[in-house]
């Protein structure tokens, strides 16, 4: 079937389409129906099924005689370590870890926070939770204590599983003190913490609360897989919204299994046994879906990479790993390719490796600029595919589905909607826009299996964030257009979310931190264009009247404050002091206009502006920082 036929097949009978896809999953009790309409915009998939994610990701492959196949390859240039874990080993390790968690009182539905770097134990911890029906919430290692504390209070975990440390180029990330700080700050306290001691840094354990990863597994009974309802939450993953309070995206068990499994062949073009590598982090949705779950559910080999595209040790690391481990499909963020290209524009490192195993490359997480795609195509001589999705959807909304059909690549477009997604471009009133015209990108409800059914403990926020603006649709928060061939173009966010090196961050959260500085009366944070990271945050500070401290000193303090409160991943390094912020007459800060001035793109003075002279002052401040050219 062609892409158009597959899409039409889905559209003609969405429930039949997903019931058919569901036959690839090993059910304890097969679903009798696909979709449940709970009313008022809420839907669930395969709710009456019984199933276990870990069984589908691990045990069933062993039972099917593939236990010796490598499930996980751990490749860590930062610790000079390589290790392979077969499916049978993975099953044994996960069953014991799950047994130890159960022996300490973790049961179906209990939340467990996982705060770990890119080591196989992070995936094992996720699978161990899934095995006993516990709901994990992985927190990215680049977040500071405060962010971890916010997640602890929202998810109220019974246990936290953490590593003693992470390794960033040139520094050790002290996870354990960050964890202790977070637990101290949080109102909710976990019953216990499991600490995986890494040899690079052994952490001090707190007696009565912390147990050692190995020690607490000693002599326990391995746990069997616990079947859970299809609509049982598999995990909660927090993502940035407009405010400092992150949104807890819920993923349901059965929908995730069916949808992710479907994507592996149809979109990413791999068969069971092939090596699939997503160079991301388990703390992000790409890591959940395409390092941990999808490759394992589909019986592929996945790679846990602890390193960076450059500097660990050089710009050839990606190519070394692809060649050495025979990667068939590689997935990364455009920013990673920009980093490599900057160091090796002529592809001298590429030429050192035999990349004949590589079939295709997928890019997501931010807009893929045509230069980067063309460079990668020229160097790698395989299709380089932009695809678009979000934490909320868990899998691609739009892509070029190479496993179905290779569609022509249009630079600047993540291609076409995948089955399950009826994507529409709407004007402010919610009316469909003609082809080629810019509007808000919305998806007609219901969303397909594997997407978010709700937000954790925040149904009102779920409705307000996604369902209210365009009744009957899910609002993506992205703006863009669709051309006459049905190709999508993703142009910008419609909210205060920015994208820094493929990481989604909230400028609102940063503003909340800056406002906490005693000398700051008012502030704004915008995302300005950056040739490496896509965007970087830039803060504007208005100081309290009478404050005579040096601006350089205050700038340094706010940079440290954001690093301490949100984390190094925010990459907040730039701020400037201004007298006033540009506002509308009703007091709304004109962030969009500031971004256009900074990036040197065309802009019009908003009709509602309060005092146009402020824009002049902002332009001067931006020029002093090297922007607004
Ligand atoms: N734990 C702790 N700190 C982390 C971290 C982690 N897991 N990940 C990043 N950080 C820190 C970095 O050490 C850095 O700190 P610094 O300010 O002390 O240098 C800061 O967060 C910013 O990190 P990063 O975004 O990695 O920037 P960089 O300048 O070190 O590297 C790139 C630039 C382009 C190489 C890097 O951003 C990259 O590899 N990007 C790809 C991102 C990606 O794959 N995203 C997945 C989305 S699909
Ligand atoms: P996250 O939830 O962290 O995956 O971030 C999702 C957001 O990243 C989307 O809403 C987009 O704004 C942006 N994004 C992801 N992939 C793409 C892409 N291929 N092109 C443009 N923007 C993208």
């Amino acid at each position: 079937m062609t892409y158009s036929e597959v899409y039409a097949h889905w559209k003609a009978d969405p429930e039949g389409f997903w019931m058919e896809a569901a036959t690839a999953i090993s059910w304890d009790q097969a679903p009798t129906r696909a979709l449940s309409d709970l009313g008022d915009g809420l839907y669930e998939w395969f709710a009456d099924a019984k199933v276990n994610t870990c069984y589908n990701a691990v045990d069933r492959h062993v039972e099917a005689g593939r236990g010796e196949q490598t499930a996980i390859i751990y490749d860590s240039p930062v610790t000079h370590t390589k290790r392979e874990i077969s499916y049978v080993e993975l099953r044994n390790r996960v069953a014991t870890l799950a047994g130890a968690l159960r022996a300490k009182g973790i049961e179906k539905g209990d939340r467990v926070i996982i705060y770990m770097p890119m080591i196989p134990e992070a995936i094992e911890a996720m699978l161990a939770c899934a095995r006993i029906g516990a709901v994990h919430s992985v927190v990215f290692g680049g977040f500071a204590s405060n962010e971890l504390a916010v997640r602890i209070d929202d998810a109220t975990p019974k246990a936290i599983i953490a590593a003693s440390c992470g390794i960033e180029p040139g520094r050790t990330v002290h996870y354990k003190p960050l964890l202790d700080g977070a637990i101290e700050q949080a109102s909710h306290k976990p019953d216990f913490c499991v600490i995986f001691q890494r040899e690079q840094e052994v952490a001090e354990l707190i007696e009565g609360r912390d147990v050692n990863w190995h020690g607490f597994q000693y002599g326990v009974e391995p746990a069997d897989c616990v079947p859970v309802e299809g609509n049982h939450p598999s995990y909660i993953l927090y993502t940035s919204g407009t405010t400092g309070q992150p949104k807890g995206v819920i993923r349901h068990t059965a929908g995730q299994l069916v949808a992710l499994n479907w994507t592996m062949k149809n979109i990413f073009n791999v068969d069971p046994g092939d090596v699939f590598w997503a160079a991301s982090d388990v703390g992000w949705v790409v890591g959940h879906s395409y390092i941990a779950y999808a490759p394992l559910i589909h019986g592929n080999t996945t790679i846990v990479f602890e390193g960076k595209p450059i500097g660990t040790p050089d710009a050839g690391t990606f190519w070394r790993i692809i060649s050495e481990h025979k990667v068939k499909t590689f997935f990364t963020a455009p920013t990673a390719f920009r980093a490599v290209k900057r160091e090796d524009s002529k592809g001298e490192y590429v030429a050192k490796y035999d990349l004949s195993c590589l079939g295709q490359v997928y890019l997501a997480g931010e807009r893929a600029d045509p230069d980067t795609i063309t460079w990668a195509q020229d160097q790698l001589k395989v299709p380089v595919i932009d695809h678009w999705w979000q934490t909320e959807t868990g899998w691609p909304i739009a892509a070029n589905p190479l496993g179905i059909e290779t569609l022509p690549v249009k630079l600047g477009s993540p291609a076409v909607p995948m089955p399950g997604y009826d994507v529409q471009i709407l004007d402010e009133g919610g009316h469909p826009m003609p082809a080629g015209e810019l509007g808000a990108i919305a998806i007609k409800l219901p969303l397909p299996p594997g997407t978010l059914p709700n937000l954790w403990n925040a149904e009102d926020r779920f409705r307000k964030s996604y369902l209210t603006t365009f009744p009957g649709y899910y609002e993506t928060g992205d703006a863009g257009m669709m051309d006459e061939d049905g190709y999508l173009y993703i142009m910008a966010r419609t909210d205060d979310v920015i994208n820094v090196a493929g990481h989604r961050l909230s400028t609102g959260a940063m503003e909340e931190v800056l406002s906490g500085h005693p000398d700051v009366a008012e502030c704004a944070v915008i995302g300005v264009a950056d040739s490496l990271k896509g965007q970087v945050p830039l803060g504007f500070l208005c100081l309290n009247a009478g404050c005579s401290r040096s601006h350089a000193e205050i700038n340094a303090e706010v940079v440290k404050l954001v690093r301490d409160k949100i984390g190094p991943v925010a990459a907040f390094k730039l701020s400037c002091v201004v007298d006033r912020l540009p506002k509308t007459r009703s007091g709304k800060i004109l962030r969009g206009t500031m971004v256009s001035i900074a990036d040197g793109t065309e802009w019009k003075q908003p009709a509602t502006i309060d005092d146009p002279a402020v824009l002049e002052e902002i332009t001067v401040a931006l020029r002093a920082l090297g922007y607004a050219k």
Side-chain angles (χ1 to χ4, degrees):
M1 277 208 269
T2 62
Y3 156 75
S4 302
E5 285 164 351
V6 174
Y7 192 81
H9 174 54
W10 160 73
K11 213 158 185 195
D13 179 13
E15 294 197 51
F17 180 92
W18 291 116
M19 282 301 259
E20 204 176 302
T23 58
I25 296 305
S26 304
W27 304 96
D28 290 275
Q29 193 179 298
T32 64
R33 62 176 199 285
L35 186 68
S36 308
D37 182 347
L38 308 185
D40 222 7
L42 300 187
Y43 298 89
E44 288 179 351
W45 289 91
F46 312 113
D48 72 352
K50 285 271 174 66
V51 70
N52 183 278
T53 300
C54 184
Y55 179 77
N56 276 277
V58 186
D59 298 50
R60 68 166 172 163
H61 305 310
V62 178
E63 289 170 17
R66 297 151 54 92
E68 297 308 313
Q69 183 193 312
T70 301
I72 300 176
I73 298 171
Y74 170 51
D75 194 311
S76 168
V78 292
T79 61
H80 309 285
T81 315
K82 286 180 207 169
R83 209 171 106 211
E84 296 195 359
I85 300 169
S86 67
Y87 270 101
V88 74
E89 269 177 87
L90 183 62
R91 187 210 42 205
N92 297 345
R93 291 172 65 86
V94 169
T96 310
L97 178 60
L101 289 171
R102 195 179 51 192
K104 293 275 295 173
I106 302 295
E107 290 169 14
K108 181 184 161 204
D110 288 339
R111 271 83 57 213
V112 175
I113 280 189
I114 299 172
Y115 187 53
M116 295 181 106
M118 283 299 289
I119 53 178
E121 287 76 9
I123 310 246
E124 291 170 7
M126 294 163 82
L127 291 167
C129 290
R131 196 169 184 88
I132 52 177
V135 182
H136 63 67
S137 186
V138 182
V139 179
F140 177 61
F143 283 127
S145 282
N146 182 56
E147 288 288 320
L148 181 54
V150 168
R151 287 155 174 78
I152 293 173
D153 277 336
D154 198 67
T156 58
K158 216 175 198 178
I160 300 182
I161 306 178
S164 55
C165 69
I167 317 289
E168 279 294 293
R171 87 189 148 97
T172 301
V173 184
H174 310 293
Y175 273 54
K176 185 55 174 37
L178 288 167
L179 171 66
D180 292 343
I183 295 177
E184 208 173 290
Q185 274 182 50
S187 325
H188 172 84
K189 310 289 174 199
D191 291 357
F192 66 100
C193 299
V194 180
I195 308 298
F196 179 76
Q197 298 280 21
R198 301 191 73 187
E199 61 185 61
Q200 290 76 15
E201 180 167 280
V202 174
E204 203 180 321
L205 302 189
I206 296 180
E207 227 183 289
R209 189 197 75 187
D210 299 342
V211 294
N212 182 303
W213 169 279
H214 291 292
F216 104 120
Q217 296 187 47
Y218 181 74
V220 299
E221 187 73 16
D224 285 334
C225 296
V226 174
V228 300
E229 297 74 22
N231 59 358
H232 182 69
S234 152
Y235 67 76
I236 304 163
L237 177 59
Y238 288 90
T239 189
S240 300
T242 309
T243 66
Q245 179 71 24
K247 297 168 172 170
V249 167
I250 300 173
R251 194 84 57 217
H252 279 174
T253 303
Q256 152 155 290
L257 284 165
V258 173
L260 291 187
N261 186 69
W262 183 88
T263 62
M264 289 305 281
K265 176 65 194 168
N266 291 289
I267 300 181
F268 295 106
N269 200 21
V270 282
D271 292 306
D274 288 338
V275 182
F276 179 93
W277 178 26
S280 178
D281 188 288
V282 283
W284 307 116
V285 70
V286 175
H288 280 63
S289 293
Y290 292 106
I291 297 174
Y293 288 117
L296 296 178
I297 293 164
H298 193 249
N300 291 100
T301 298
T302 187
I303 297 184
V304 172
F305 167 61
E306 190 181 27
K308 301 270 173 178
I310 50 170
T312 63
D314 54 41
T317 301
F318 279 174
W319 325 130
R320 193 241 333 138
I321 292 182
I322 291 169
S323 164
E324 194 171 318
H325 304 304
K326 307 262 171 304
V327 172
K328 185 167 176 206
T329 294
F330 176 48
F331 178 155
T332 189
T335 189
F337 272 3
R338 287 196 296 269
V340 172
K341 179 177 160 220
R342 189 180 269 199
E343 294 216 343
D344 184 27
S345 63
K346 294 207 183 81
E348 282 164 16
Y349 280 106
V350 184
K352 286 189 186 170
Y353 298 95
D354 172 7
L355 300 179
S356 54
C357 55
L358 187 65
Q360 51 267 317
V361 172
Y362 277 79
L363 297 177
E366 57 172 328
R367 187 173 169 272
D369 50 296
D371 277 357
T372 301
I373 297 214
T374 323
W375 175 82
Q377 280 170 341
D378 290 348
Q379 296 301 330
L380 303 172
K381 317 252 182 312
V382 297
V384 177
I385 303 300
D386 179 16
H387 64 314
W388 167 62
W389 51 296
Q390 319 179 298
T391 304
E392 287 85 345
T393 65
W395 59 280
I397 306 169
N400 193 332
L402 296 190
I404 299 174
E405 182 189 0
T406 303
L407 299 171
V409 169
K410 293 196 190 188
L411 291 177
S413 166
V416 292
M418 290 298 92
Y421 295 101
D422 182 351
V423 181
Q424 307 265 339
I425 311 294
L426 304 179
D427 68 13
E428 278 176 12
H431 308 107
M433 307 277 286
E437 285 194 27
L438 206 64
I441 311 182
I443 302 165
K444 203 147 204 278
L445 293 173
L447 291 176
T451 56
L452 87 169
N454 212 325
L455 290 177
W456 183 254
N457 281 338
E459 190 168 313
D460 279 353
R461 190 172 183 199
F462 174 70
R463 290 179 190 290
K464 243 184 246 145
S465 306
Y466 305 110
L467 306 181
T468 314
T469 313
F470 304 115
Y473 291 88
Y474 163 84
E475 182 184 4
T476 64
D478 284 314
M481 61 180 187
M482 192 180 262
D483 72 10
E484 285 181 346
D485 299 324
Y487 277 59
L488 277 162
Y489 293 78
I490 316 301
M491 311 305 279
R493 289 287 304 190
T494 55
D495 54 14
D496 296 326
V497 164
I498 58 170
N499 204 310
V500 181
H503 304 138
R504 173 168 160 181
L505 297 164
S506 159
T507 54
M510 293 184 219
E511 288 175 2
E512 282 176 32
V513 173
L514 299 186
S515 309
H517 187 285
D519 294 321
V520 172
E522 201 180 13
C523 65
V525 175
I526 59 169
V528 292
D530 181 84
S531 61
L532 176 65
K533 299 194 175 194
Q535 282 183 304
V536 288
L538 166 58
F540 294 87
L541 313 170
C542 301
L543 303 183
N544 288 320
C547 172
S548 56
R549 297 185 55 213
S550 106
H551 293 176
E553 207 178 346
I554 293 172
N555 284 334
E557 284 170 8
V558 295
V559 166
K560 182 169 182 312
L561 206 57
V562 175
R563 193 175 172 93
D564 291 347
K565 291 264 183 200
I566 297 180
V569 68
F572 182 86
K573 304 217 159 135
L574 270 179
S575 70
C576 61
V577 173
V578 292
D579 286 338
R580 297 175 296 172
L581 295 171
K583 291 185 183 169
T584 61
R585 282 189 286 279
S586 60
K588 199 170 163 293
I589 298 173
L590 292 163
R591 292 183 184 78
T593 312
M594 291 161 83
V595 173
S596 302
I597 297 175
D599 293 348
T601 52
E602 219 176 285
W603 60 279
K604 263 204 284 192
Q605 185 171 297
T608 53
I609 193 163
D610 184 39
D611 179 357
V614 186
L615 288 178
E616 297 291 326
E617 293 165 25
I618 292 291
T619 308
V620 170
L622 281 165
R623 289 220 172 104
L625 290 171
Y627 292 92
K629 294 268 168 56

